[in-house]
Amino acid sequence: GLVGSEMCIRDRIGIQYRGTCSGKFVVSDDIGCKNIVAEIPVTPAETWSEVRTALQIADGKHPLYLFFQGSGEAAVKELYLA
């Protein structure tokens, strides 16, 4: 894990979603999804639902790529750092 000055000030990531999705959203700081910085589990939801999880990323500016792994479809209303 990351320690001390390597820790991100915002150490959680959240998503608001709804849909028939069952699986997880994977957050990576590279487009090839080689370095996963968070995994957000999701289950089917008829109304807007919110899930938060730990974010493991070093300080600095990084792109964030969101990938869905699972079945069904999801509408994403918001993705945020907390």
Side-chain angles (χ1 to χ4, degrees):
L2 302 175
V3 294
S5 62
E6 293 179 297
M7 287 295 286
C8 179
I9 294 172
R10 299 188 187 274
D11 61 354
R12 298 194 59 76
I13 189 165
I15 192 168
Q16 285 186 348
Y17 76 96
R18 69 179 177 195
T20 60
C21 55
S22 182
K24 63 185 174 182
F25 283 98
V26 176
V27 183
S28 178
D29 63 3
D30 69 278
I31 199 158
C33 200
K34 293 182 178 105
N35 187 41
I36 295 171
V37 297
E39 292 186 359
I40 308 168
V42 291
T43 57
E46 291 183 18
T47 60
W48 291 111
S49 298
E50 185 174 335
V51 180
R52 288 183 225 165
T53 193
L55 177 67
Q56 302 287 328
I57 194 167
D59 278 345
K61 293 182 180 181
H62 303 277
L64 292 178
Y65 299 93
L66 184 67
F67 301 91
F68 177 69
Q69 296 177 348
S71 61
E73 296 180 0
V76 176
K77 183 177 184 181
E78 184 177 15
L79 180 69
Y80 61 90
L81 301 175

